[in-house]
Amino acid sequence: MKICLVGLPLSGKSALFSALTGLAAAPASTKGPEQIAVVKVPDDRIELLNEIFKPRKKTPASIEFTEIAGLGAGEPKKQGLSEQYLARLRAADALLCVVRAFADPSLPHPLESIDPVRDLRALETEFLLADLAIVEARTEKLTKQIAAKKSDRDVRELGVLGRCRERLEAETPLRWADLAPDDEILLRGYRFLTQKPLIVAVNLGEDEVGRQVEALAPFAPWAEGPRSAVIGLSARLEMEIRQLPEGEAKAFLADFGIESPALDKLIATSFRLMGLASFFTVGSDEVKAWTIREGMRAVQAAGVIHSDIERGFIRAEVVPFEEFAACRSLPECRTAGALRLEGKDYPVQDGDIINFRFAV
Ligand SMILES: Nc1nc2c(ncn2[C@@H]2O[C@H](COP(=O)(O)OP(=O)(O)OP(=O)(O)O)[C@@H](O)[C@H]2O)c(=O)[nH]1
Ligand SMILES: [Mg+2]
């Protein structure tokens, strides 16, 4: 799962990215104009499983963050985003928009004043226009196709695109457009930017991070809207925290009136917004979090581990996490009746501990 960092120049993307790479499971790699970091998803549950099973190996879930080279200063105003830039954004599963709220007279803002809501709107407008361009091109093509040879599927798609156009023209991002689930599925192939989950990282000044309520109030629509979230942080502080020895971080945070680093929350929020969930496999060899889409069926979840387990699926032995945490061992769970046998169609729940029975 990939999250792409976007933002105006000097908004703090690289600072945030280095904070994230400080947490990376694998070293950050640089591939041409983009840098990639694979970041572990913080999860108390896997820590508890680790404590109980004392496995040789612990594997938490991870997600990938990419920073792509910044937008040119005047770019959003002039000719829109380049096709190459857009293609990179479209490949992402979610967007992390970094907007600058910190003031620093030595760093000129590309739009000359500090106004993070304006910056966010400017970026969203670019995304809306990019989506609208796709809708228009496809509508034209479908209209011709239907005139030549009418098919139900094409007619339906044209209808959905019409609804998208209405929303986009009213400046409603598609993630907030309240489309029917069937419409959403039909649209997936387009990889619309405004349909992707959006995390807004408001890069606050060091003097503001301790009292965020006021600074974040203007972001209420993003905080409240479906599939979007807002997180206030100081990218510079987050980066500095990663470089401190464990014991010193708390005191450092306290100096700025913050309890805990924002990065854990950012990663966990991203994971949730993308509609992801974890199930666990446990044992003395390895305790591992597997990433699935929320509500995935047991047989599909088995396939995430190995296609053989999916093919030869017999049943899943499932213990919900809370019940495991109470019993603290699988035999205890069995005795307590907390271990259930589930079939192929069981919708896996976040936190389930699963042992798949299979035969190939
Ligand atoms: N005061 C302050 N400065 C910051 C903060 N975050 C970043 N900066 C500074 O802002 C400048 C730009 O930060 P970057 O992280 O390089 O910004 P960027 O978005 O990656 O910029 P481009 O890659 O050029 O688009 C650097 O000098 C940072 O040290 C912050 O939270 N507070
Ligand atoms: Mg940068």
Side-chain angles (χ1 to χ4, degrees):
M1 286 292 148
K2 286 203 294 197
I3 301 185
C4 195
L5 272 78
V6 285
L8 294 179
L10 303 181
S11 53
K13 298 179 296 297
S14 295
L16 187 58
F17 188 79
S18 5
L20 287 163
T21 46
L23 295 177
S29 58
T30 309
K31 247 202 255 159
E34 54 181 22
Q35 330 181 49
I36 300 170
V38 178
V39 177
K40 293 178 204 148
V41 179
D43 188 341
D44 292 340
R45 297 172 302 185
I46 199 160
E47 299 309 326
L48 181 74
L49 296 174
N50 189 47
E51 202 183 294
I52 294 173
F53 288 94
K54 304 192 174 40
R56 273 188 280 279
K57 195 173 167 208
K58 171 184 85 173
T59 314
S62 61
I63 39 183
E64 191 179 301
F65 286 87
T66 346
E67 185 195 356
I68 51 182
L71 305 161
E75 211 168 9
K77 274 190 296 188
K78 274 189 298 183
Q79 72 279 42
L81 304 178
S82 73
E83 264 318 306
Q84 201 189 17
Y85 192 89
L86 289 172
R88 291 220 171 79
L89 296 185
R90 286 203 187 97
D93 298 291
L95 303 177
L96 171 56
C97 234
V98 184
V99 289
R100 171 174 167 183
F102 67 90
D104 184 338
S106 69
L107 290 172
H109 189 292
L111 301 176
E112 278 152 24
S113 60
I114 305 295
D115 184 346
V117 174
R118 170 205 59 198
D119 296 353
L120 180 55
R121 286 195 194 287
L123 288 162
E124 284 252 67
T125 302
E126 289 303 318
F127 301 160
L128 281 162
L129 291 173
D131 287 353
L132 204 49
I134 294 180
V135 169
E136 277 164 5
R138 181 69 188 155
T139 300
E140 196 177 319
K141 184 146 180 257
L142 273 176
T143 311
K144 280 194 194 134
Q145 219 163 288
I146 291 167
K149 183 173 177 293
K150 195 166 170 176
S151 88
D152 287 349
R153 202 194 170 285
D154 287 352
V155 171
R156 209 188 127 221
E157 188 172 343
L158 192 64
V160 180
L161 288 172
R163 290 192 279 286
C164 289
R165 181 203 286 259
E166 256 171 45
R167 309 302 206 278
L168 292 168
E169 281 174 349
E171 292 181 42
T172 306
L174 296 176
R175 76 179 73 83
W176 296 347
D178 210 7
L179 296 167
D182 279 355
D183 287 2
E184 297 244 1
I185 293 169
L186 203 144
L187 293 177
R188 251 180 222 162
Y190 292 113
R191 319 211 74 172
F192 287 127
L193 299 178
T194 67
Q195 200 183 12
K196 293 182 193 296
L198 174 72
I199 304 112
V200 182
V202 185
N203 192 5
L204 302 163
E206 286 85 340
D207 54 336
E208 275 180 314
V209 279
R211 38 175 187 88
Q212 299 188 6
V213 178
E214 205 178 314
L216 298 188
F219 292 92
W222 289 271
E224 288 155 16
R227 274 184 284 165
S228 59
V230 177
I231 292 181
L233 49 78
S234 159
R236 181 180 276 177
L237 286 187
E238 294 292 328
M239 189 173 72
E240 285 169 11
I241 294 163
R242 303 301 138 188
Q243 287 149 11
L244 290 175
E246 188 99 12
E248 286 172 33
K250 264 242 139 34
F252 178 81
L253 287 168
D255 280 349
F256 292 98
I258 338 174
E259 261 170 47
S260 54
L263 229 45
D264 284 2
K265 187 176 158 203
L266 183 123
I267 299 164
T269 303
S270 310
F271 196 75
R272 183 177 49 78
L273 275 191
M274 287 192 285
L276 301 177
S278 297
F279 74 87
F280 301 100
T281 52
V282 295
S284 55
D285 259 357
E286 189 180 18
V287 161
K288 179 162 180 165
W290 300 88
T291 302
I292 54 167
R293 295 211 165 270
E294 259 166 17
M296 213 173 195
R297 296 160 59 223
V299 66
Q300 295 171 301
V304 173
I305 303 181
H306 200 286
S307 55
D308 282 351
I309 311 183
E310 180 171 4
R311 228 164 358 102
F313 184 97
I314 299 172
R315 61 175 182 269
E317 300 173 353
V318 180
V319 185
F321 186 83
E322 296 311 322
E323 294 182 46
F324 181 84
C327 299
R328 296 179 73 94
S329 94
L330 288 175
E332 280 292 315
C333 289
R334 204 182 287 272
T335 315
L339 190 145
R340 299 188 315 247
L341 301 181
E342 301 285 359
K344 286 186 175 177
D345 292 333
Y346 166 70
V348 174
Q349 304 297 304
D350 186 42
D352 279 353
I353 292 161
I354 306 187
N355 179 34
F356 290 105
R357 295 281 173 191
F358 68 105
V360 281

